[in-house]
Each structure stands twice: as C-alpha cells, then as structure tokens.
Amino acid sequence: GAPLPALFSRASAVHRQLEHASPPQLERGLELCRRLVAEVRAADLFSANEDAEDLATADIKYLLAAFFLAELLNTYPTPPTPTRGNADSPAAGGPAQRKSLVEEAIVLYTAFLDSCQQYGLLGTVGKQLYLQDAQQVRMGCLSREPKDLSYRAYSAPFATSLCASSNYAS
C-alpha cells in the first residue's frame, strides 16, 4: 500500500472537498479513510499509556484519521430504500444502514476527542467542556438529524485547531 504520509495527504484532500464530492468520490474517500485509520492503527503511533510528551510532533496529524472517517460517514448519502449492487456498500441500505453509519461516526468522533483529551490538545476550556459535556453529547447524538450531529459540532473546533497546528496538508 501507499506510505502513511501519502495516504494521509490523499485523505486530507478528500476531507477538504467533502461538501462538493459526488457519491462515487465519497465511496472512494470512504475506502481511503478506512485504510488510513487501519494503517495508523497498524503503525502503532499512539498508545493509551502515553501523553503529549511521548508523541512525535510529526505524528500528531494522524490523530485526524478518525475524524476524517467520521466526517465521511456523517456526510455519506444513504438512499431511503435498499438498492441493488454491492450489498456491503454504505449506499446499499436505507434507514437502518444510515443509523449504522451514524453510530460508527459517533465512535470515531469519540475516539478523536478522547485522543485529543489524552494528549492535552483540547486546551483548558476544551478540557472543561470535554469533561462536562462528553456524556451529554454521547447521549444526544442519535436523537439528532445526521447532518447536525452534536459530536460533529463538538469535534470540529478541535480538528480545525489540530489541522492548523500540525501541518495538516503535508
């Protein structure tokens, strides 16, 4: 497969173009981001036993892999009724499939926020909000419209900050 930096660069390009992507582009982006998340896990860059001092500066951007995939899952258009074709495709399913995509996005948003909190990337205010509101956000996610996920709104400022501070595009 492609080296991790190249995979990240492609995934970040997909993320930047999310709002203008066609369904086939979203499908390819979803596959790419799933591969990126798997490669980041396989590279073993992050550990639950580490803090910010143990984290290589060049690796910080890879925390965004889970956020990129969550964003794609949240954006992915699921048809209202099942379609013919690839039964494993996210587009194969209706409301039940949409719920599954949203639940997966919530897990990924949670993982992203938990990592940011673990490595001290939330800042003082962000940490207070994280500790105060994380449970409320988790509980409220499935009751909202998919395009208005509270977790998305909650994660985006931290992702934006991380993007700006870690050479996101490289």
Side-chain angles (χ1 to χ4, degrees), residues 114 129-139 151 154:
D114 289 347
L129 288 172
Y130 171 84
L131 295 173
Q132 227 174 30
D133 297 338
Q135 189 59 36
Q136 283 182 315
V137 171
R138 284 184 183 106
M139 299 305 287
Y151 245 127
Y154 191 73

Side-chain angles (χ1 to χ4, degrees), residues 26-170:
L26 287 172
E27 183 80 29
R28 286 190 303 275
L30 199 56
E31 291 171 23
L32 177 69
C33 286
R34 285 191 191 283
R35 199 164 74 230
L36 176 62
V37 166
E39 292 290 328
V40 167
R41 268 193 207 118
D44 205 23
L45 300 175
F46 310 109
S47 167
N49 304 333
E50 295 178 336
D51 60 22
E53 287 143 18
D54 300 318
L55 186 60
T57 303
D59 293 342
I60 291 173
K61 66 185 175 187
Y62 297 118
L63 289 172
L64 289 164
F67 180 79
F68 289 164
L69 181 53
E71 290 282 273
L72 262 162
L73 290 166
N74 186 44
T75 304
Y76 201 89
T78 306
T81 57
T83 59
R84 292 186 188 151
N86 182 356
D88 294 330
S89 167
Q97 182 66 31
R98 180 69 191 144
K99 182 180 180 197
S100 173
L101 293 175
V102 169
E103 288 172 342
E104 186 179 355
I106 290 168
V107 168
L108 290 158
Y109 282 130
T110 302
F112 171 72
L113 288 169
D114 289 347
S115 294
C116 287
Q117 199 280 333
Q118 173 188 338
Y119 289 112
L121 302 173
L122 299 181
T124 305
V125 173
K127 184 175 181 179
Q128 288 173 346
L129 288 172
Y130 171 84
L131 295 173
Q132 227 174 30
D133 297 338
Q135 189 59 36
Q136 283 182 315
V137 171
R138 284 184 183 106
M139 299 305 287
C141 282
L142 287 176
S143 67
R144 301 186 185 279
E145 288 297 312
K147 293 285 184 187
D148 189 32
L149 270 176
S150 354
Y151 245 127
R152 180 179 194 280
Y154 191 73
S155 299
F158 302 120
T160 302
S161 173
L162 188 57
C163 290
S165 67
S166 67
N167 295 322
Y168 164 61
S170 60

